[in-house]
Amino acid sequence: MAVKVFLDEADMPKQWYNLGPDLPTPMQPPLGPDGNPVSPDMLTPVFPMNLIEQEVSQDSWIDIPEEVRALLYRWRPAPLHRAYGLEKALNTPARIYFKNESVSPAGSHKPNTAIPQAWYNKQFGIERLTTETGAGQWGSALSFASALVGLECKVYMVRISFDQKPFRKVMMETWGGTCIPSPSDTTEVGRKILAEMPDTPGSLGIAISEAVEAAVTDPTGKTRYALGSVLNHVMLHQTIIGLETKKQLAKINEKKVDVVIGCAGGGSNFAGLAFPFVKDKIEGADIDIIPVEPASCPTLTKAPFAYDFGDTAHMTPLMPMHSLGHKFIPPPIHAGGLRYHGMAPLVSAATRDGLLNPRAIGQIECYKAAVQFARAEGIIVAPETSHAVAATIQEAIKAREEGREKVIVFGLSGHGLMDLLGYEKYFAGELEDHYMSDDEVRESVKSMEGLPKP
Amino acid sequence: MAVKVFLDEADMPKQWYNLGPDLPTPMQPPLGPDGNPVSPDMLTPVFPMNLIEQEVSQDSWIDIPEEVRALLYRWRPAPLHRAYGLEKALNTPARIYFKNESVSPAGSHKPNTAIPQAWYNKQFGIERLTTETGAGQWGSALSFASALVGLECKVYMVRISFDQKPFRKVMMETWGGTCIPSPSDTTEVGRKILAEMPDTPGSLGIAISEAVEAAVTDPTGKTRYALGSVLNHVMLHQTIIGLETKKQLAKINEKKVDVVIGCAGGGSNFAGLAFPFVKDKIEGADIDIIPVEPASCPTLTKAPFAYDFGDTAHMTPLMPMHSLGHKFIPPPIHAGGLRYHGMAPLVSAATRDGLLNPRAIGQIECYKAAVQFARAEGIIVAPETSHAVAATIQEAIKAREEGREKVIVFGLSGHGLMDLLGYEKYFAGELEDHYMSDDEVRESVKSMEGLPKP
């Protein structure tokens, strides 16, 4: 009766899994402003070629370099826990497992891709990284990875999160990074937006624009941009989560998984856990795979599959994805990491192919679930993670009602110790739910009018 | 070349180690207000009898109940890491290991005793626990443990820490606990102190008085007090740290430890790692065992071994320990957990017997060490832990100067993600050092005049 399953370092997966080539419908390419596919060469001002090669790779399995493995060992393999306390609290016949990514020094799953991205950039001779961050998890993770690998790191943080979470900046600085509220006056894009909307809370789309501009305009040519979600190579690096999980389930002889659940903002945490199970589903396994998003930012459940920009200022290529439109500025819910207007093309494509079963949940239900989880299991989860917890509780109750011994696995993407303001507001009854209406979605997607269709 | 060593749950120690009976000089008993030894019966209004039995036990080994083990499995066994990054940064021939207690859901080593204390109270029919907390680590840990075991929990938090760290309260509330700044108007002791010193920053001694009063005056008789450090049974529960560490070192064939280092406030984290090595030292091993304390609260390095009260208001028995006097109010350094006026009787006795080699370090050197550690190893440590890191760096540099391949093991007692204010002030150059002078010590210890001598 193991409460938790470790793997030795030697048993950590030696390859990442690339879902793209295994999807029933081939992936569509990103497009340039002229509507033509973007070639790898065109991305070189933004990313190093070794990562671009991963981005467009058609190999299903890609080796994890030995030095990257050694850096991941700082906290990996991450434990898989059996949620005995939650099962008891819910009186469910389901067996609930969670993969605990909160044990990383940055507190979330984000270092799984921050470490390889920093390492590949360093290999390529890059000296400086720029990036954006929403809740702060990614900016912290890239600062952490940059310190270990030996790079400079500059983070543009969505202003509302910067204001709500002043200690995220200190965290990044402790690792040697710098953190700037976005929009800022350090970029042309930022200055333009500030002139139009001086009181804007910011958005991931704006922060991405600033970070990309800061990278491509560096005259030394030694700066590149790093993205913490959405792109194929980010999904790739995160699959170590699900690959480890499958080894751990095998170790305790748990043969059949019925439900896989992860929260989905840009998609990286969800993809990391889920894609190795999506592979099983493509091969015929009967698994319900559920990305959970906020009701206030319902990308997968309400937005169209379209070609859209990844950022507000059209600095990125057009990507085929579920999107609320690149001008979308979400309500200030506390799950800052789930407020992106789009969704990873791979997660979007898997949804289009009917492999995923997305669900949207309001933040009050999510906090209620998180508090129940904290008292039953002891871990205070991140506001993002609370979405996965809420869906897990829904599924566990359903299993009880059906009287079925289902096996449910969810991703605990991070702890909430840097995000306690949301819990405080929940206890004070100050949180509001916003369920985005069909009318609001119709209005929001107008920014994509005239763009090519997938 | 393992970066980190796990143990399976089945390999977690099945007994705790009690140093008391193995000390060369027998431990002296706690005394009542009349100067006579306190009998176990006299402690029953404060603690349940099963814990009192552990407090006075003369057995060297005490079984860990199966249910307590199952609760500890939520995060234990904790990993032992090799600090390759720090070794490289210091260019030292030393092999540096650290035992990582930051992976617990509360973020520190404190749950190691919070879980058994809550469990033994529950077994004894107790429904409610009261306690004090300084930095907040202990109050958080007891709230966490009370949630898992099913008890109510009320925490008196030293006012200056309560004000500096508002999210500690939210953390405790998420686990169902309540948190009150101390001194408060909810106890007679608190009201008296507030009348005399309305602007006092509070102290652990005052908060202990309030928590004990709240426990013993509960008319239902179903409330007891829990202490997070100092007492024998707390040291006992923490020895799981050092016992695991020895198993992990054996697993990687590391046969001889030269230096063991831990930060010491009340003594529980230090004792937990060190006591199993103190046993080796008593049996003839050549080990340098170093408790590290703040220069502003130099209990072991400057204060006398004396009989003193554990709290300000004389609610506790007199304990034989190194003490700066129970009226001592330390300067507001950021390592809130290291500001107690006394030191655990077992740690004090081991120091008196020449088994330990205590050291005091100023907070600025500690923060400098913590930042170097964060950039080399990736973990942002608690301000308390930074004292162990600073001493480790001193020892690693000494090993380099001596050209010796020493093995150094230190205790990483917790992460600093709830305590980033201190880092912010360090970066801003706003921290001050205070080295307590001999004159200040002489003045401070006057509160012990007239008390019995050990």
Side-chain angles (χ1 to χ4, degrees):
Chain A
M1 182 174 131
V3 171
K4 141 186 101 342
V5 189
F6 286 134
L7 290 178
D8 284 335
E9 291 176 359
D11 292 325
M12 194 177 79
K14 294 184 172 59
Q15 296 184 308
W16 291 300
Y17 171 61
N18 182 16
L19 175 65
D22 292 342
L23 279 176
T25 313
M27 289 289 287
Q28 290 162 294
L31 304 181
D34 57 0
N36 290 319
V38 168
S39 71
D41 280 354
M42 293 166 71
L43 294 171
T44 55
V46 184
F47 300 110
M49 187 49 88
N50 47 16
L51 284 176
I52 295 170
E53 283 165 7
Q54 289 190 347
E55 183 65 20
V56 300
S57 173
Q58 287 302 305
D59 298 331
S60 293
W61 295 95
I62 293 177
D63 289 345
I64 308 175
E66 199 51 53
E67 286 181 40
V68 170
R69 288 171 54 85
L71 288 165
L72 295 175
Y73 291 157
R74 297 286 176 108
W75 74 98
R76 298 203 78 82
L80 180 76
H81 299 240
R82 173 87 182 263
Y84 284 110
L86 185 63
E87 291 173 18
K88 195 177 157 197
L90 296 172
N91 191 25
T92 179
R95 293 196 291 285
I96 303 173
Y97 296 90
F98 60 92
K99 179 69 168 174
N100 184 3
E101 296 293 322
S102 76
V103 297
S104 86
S108 80
H109 68 294
K110 292 291 188 188
N112 297 335
T113 185
I115 288 285
Q117 287 196 53
W119 186 84
Y120 281 110
N121 271 284
K122 180 83 174 181
Q123 288 292 108
F124 197 70
I126 299 305
E127 294 172 1
R128 237 163 278 109
L129 293 176
T130 64
T131 196
E132 77 297 326
T133 199
Q137 299 276 26
W138 169 244
S140 302
L142 196 68
S143 299
F144 157 82
S146 296
L148 295 190
V149 165
L151 294 173
E152 290 174 42
C153 180
K154 184 189 275 189
V155 180
Y156 290 87
M157 184 165 183
V158 176
R159 180 177 295 274
I160 183 167
S161 293
F162 185 91
D163 291 342
Q164 283 178 348
K165 304 175 186 181
F167 288 126
R168 278 284 179 194
K169 177 173 184 278
V170 182
M171 202 172 164
M172 296 179 218
E173 286 176 348
T174 302
W175 282 311
T178 56
C179 178
I180 299 164
S182 166
S184 76
D185 61 6
T186 69
T187 65
E188 216 167 293
V189 171
R191 285 187 294 269
K192 186 157 172 284
I193 290 169
L194 280 176
E196 288 168 13
M197 301 182 287
D199 295 326
T200 176
S203 71
L204 274 175
I206 295 170
I208 292 172
S209 299
E210 289 205 87
V212 173
E213 181 188 320
V216 301
T217 57
D218 173 17
T220 71
K222 297 287 191 188
T223 302
R224 291 294 182 279
Y225 166 72
L227 188 63
S229 194
V230 179
L231 298 178
N232 300 342
H233 68 275
V234 180
M235 305 298 123
L236 177 78
H237 300 154
Q238 292 292 359
T239 57
I240 197 164
I241 300 173
L243 295 168
E244 280 181 10
T245 300
K246 291 179 81 167
K247 282 194 166 198
Q248 287 163 313
L249 289 167
K251 193 171 167 183
I252 53 170
N253 218 14
E254 191 69 86
K255 293 188 170 67
K256 166 86 174 72
V257 171
D258 298 291
V259 188
V260 173
I261 297 170
C263 61
S268 80
N269 157 67
F270 169 76
L273 175 66
F275 280 5
F277 293 95
V278 173
K279 178 173 160 58
D280 294 347
K281 183 153 180 158
I282 292 170
E283 292 165 1
D286 175 23
I287 314 179
D288 194 17
I289 305 178
I290 307 174
V292 189
E293 57 188 14
S296 59
C297 186
T299 323
L300 287 171
T301 51
K302 290 216 164 194
F305 185 79
Y307 263 117
D308 195 16
F309 293 102
D311 71 321
T312 306
H314 303 189
M315 306 281 294
T316 75
L318 289 162
M319 289 180 293
M321 60 182 181
H322 282 272
S323 177
L324 288 159
H326 56 276
K327 301 279 191 208
F328 175 68
I329 293 187
I333 60 161
H334 283 277
L338 304 185
R339 293 189 295 185
Y340 186 57
H341 67 273
M343 180 57 69
L346 279 167
V347 174
S348 296
T351 303
R352 177 206 55 197
D353 282 353
L355 296 163
L356 309 181
N357 186 10
R359 182 176 301 180
I361 306 183
Q363 69 175 346
I364 293 176
E365 178 176 345
C366 292
Y367 274 103
K368 186 179 169 207
V371 170
Q372 180 168 29
F373 186 76
R375 293 178 186 178
E377 289 295 326
I379 300 176
I380 298 176
V381 301
E384 293 79 12
T385 311
S386 73
H387 291 71
V389 175
T392 297
I393 290 175
Q394 290 177 351
E395 291 298 308
I397 290 172
K398 191 170 136 200
R400 182 183 69 206
E401 288 166 353
E402 293 172 350
R404 288 186 53 197
E405 273 192 34
K406 282 187 183 173
V407 172
I408 302 172
V409 179
F410 82 88
L412 196 157
S413 57
H415 66 64
L417 300 187
M418 299 295 294
D419 304 281
L420 289 165
L421 184 64
Y423 283 88
E424 188 172 38
K425 293 204 168 167
Y426 169 73
F427 288 125
E430 290 171 7
L431 288 188
E432 282 175 23
D433 265 332
H434 180 79
Y435 290 80
M436 199 171 177
S437 70
D438 294 341
D439 280 351
E440 287 172 316
V441 172
R442 264 193 297 276
E443 186 60 32
S444 182
V445 300
K446 281 186 181 165
S447 64
M448 296 188 288
E449 277 173 13
L451 297 178
K453 301 284 176 217
Chain B
M1 186 174 125
V3 172
K4 142 185 97 347
V5 188
F6 285 135
L7 290 178
D8 284 332
E9 291 175 357
D11 293 326
M12 195 177 79
K14 295 185 171 57
Q15 296 183 308
W16 291 299
Y17 171 61
N18 182 16
L19 175 65
D22 291 342
L23 280 175
T25 312
M27 290 287 287
Q28 290 162 294
L31 304 180
D34 56 0
N36 289 321
V38 168
S39 71
D41 280 353
M42 294 166 70
L43 294 170
T44 54
V46 184
F47 301 111
M49 187 49 89
N50 47 16
L51 284 175
I52 295 170
E53 282 164 7
Q54 288 190 348
E55 183 64 21
V56 301
S57 172
Q58 286 302 302
D59 297 331
S60 293
W61 295 96
I62 293 177
D63 288 345
I64 308 176
E66 200 51 53
E67 287 182 39
V68 170
R69 287 171 55 85
L71 288 165
L72 294 175
Y73 290 157
R74 298 286 176 107
W75 74 99
R76 300 203 76 84
L80 180 75
H81 298 241
R82 173 85 182 265
Y84 284 110
L86 185 64
E87 291 173 18
K88 195 176 156 197
L90 297 172
N91 188 28
T92 178
R95 293 195 292 284
I96 303 173
Y97 296 90
F98 60 92
K99 179 68 168 174
N100 185 2
E101 296 293 321
S102 76
V103 297
S104 86
S108 80
H109 69 294
K110 291 291 188 188
N112 296 335
T113 185
I115 289 283
Q117 287 195 54
W119 186 84
Y120 281 110
N121 271 283
K122 180 85 174 179
Q123 288 291 108
F124 197 71
I126 298 306
E127 294 171 1
R128 235 163 279 109
L129 293 175
T130 65
T131 196
E132 78 297 326
T133 198
Q137 298 275 26
W138 170 243
S140 302
L142 196 69
S143 298
F144 157 83
S146 295
L148 295 190
V149 166
L151 293 173
E152 291 175 42
C153 180
K154 183 188 275 190
V155 179
Y156 290 87
M157 185 166 183
V158 176
R159 179 177 295 274
I160 183 166
S161 293
F162 185 91
D163 292 341
Q164 283 178 347
K165 304 175 187 181
F167 288 126
R168 277 286 179 193
K169 176 172 185 277
V170 182
M171 201 172 166
M172 296 179 218
E173 285 175 350
T174 302
W175 282 311
T178 56
C179 178
I180 299 164
S182 165
S184 75
D185 61 6
T186 69
T187 65
E188 215 167 293
V189 170
R191 286 187 292 271
K192 186 156 171 283
I193 290 168
L194 280 175
E196 288 168 13
M197 302 183 287
D199 295 326
T200 177
S203 71
L204 275 175
I206 295 170
I208 293 172
S209 298
E210 289 203 88
V212 172
E213 181 188 319
V216 301
T217 57
D218 173 17
T220 71
K222 297 286 191 188
T223 302
R224 291 293 182 280
Y225 166 73
L227 187 63
S229 193
V230 179
L231 297 178
N232 299 341
H233 68 276
V234 180
M235 306 297 123
L236 177 79
H237 299 155
Q238 292 291 0
T239 58
I240 196 165
I241 301 173
L243 295 168
E244 282 182 9
T245 301
K246 292 179 81 169
K247 281 193 166 198
Q248 287 163 313
L249 290 167
K251 194 172 167 183
I252 52 169
N253 219 14
E254 192 70 84
K255 293 187 170 68
K256 165 81 174 73
V257 171
D258 298 292
V259 187
V260 173
I261 297 170
C263 62
S268 80
N269 156 69
F270 168 76
L273 175 65
F275 280 4
F277 294 95
V278 173
K279 176 173 160 59
D280 294 346
K281 184 153 179 158
I282 292 170
E283 291 165 0
D286 175 24
I287 313 178
D288 193 16
I289 305 177
I290 306 174
V292 189
E293 57 188 14
S296 59
C297 186
T299 322
L300 287 171
T301 51
K302 289 215 164 195
F305 185 79
Y307 262 116
D308 194 16
F309 293 103
D311 71 322
T312 307
H314 304 189
M315 306 282 293
T316 75
L318 289 163
M319 289 180 293
M321 61 182 180
H322 281 273
S323 178
L324 288 157
H326 56 276
K327 302 279 191 209
F328 176 68
I329 293 187
I333 60 162
H334 283 277
L338 304 185
R339 293 189 296 186
Y340 185 58
H341 67 273
M343 179 57 69
L346 278 168
V347 174
S348 297
T351 303
R352 177 205 55 198
D353 283 352
L355 295 164
L356 309 180
N357 185 11
R359 181 176 303 180
I361 305 182
Q363 69 175 345
I364 292 177
E365 179 177 345
C366 292
Y367 273 103
K368 186 180 170 207
V371 171
Q372 179 167 29
F373 186 76
R375 294 178 186 178
E377 290 294 327
I379 301 175
I380 298 176
V381 301
E384 293 79 11
T385 311
S386 73
H387 291 71
V389 175
T392 297
I393 290 175
Q394 291 177 350
E395 291 298 308
I397 291 173
K398 191 171 136 199
R400 182 182 69 207
E401 289 166 352
E402 293 173 349
R404 287 186 54 196
E405 272 192 35
K406 281 186 184 175
V407 172
I408 302 171
V409 179
F410 82 87
L412 197 157
S413 57
H415 66 63
L417 300 186
M418 300 296 293
D419 304 282
L420 289 164
L421 185 66
Y423 282 89
E424 188 173 38
K425 294 206 166 166
Y426 169 73
F427 288 126
E430 291 172 7
L431 287 187
E432 284 177 20
D433 265 333
H434 180 78
Y435 291 80
M436 198 172 180
S437 70
D438 293 343
D439 280 352
E440 286 171 317
V441 173
R442 263 192 298 275
E443 187 60 32
S444 182
V445 300
K446 281 185 183 165
S447 64
M448 296 188 287
E449 277 174 12
L451 296 177
K453 301 284 174 218

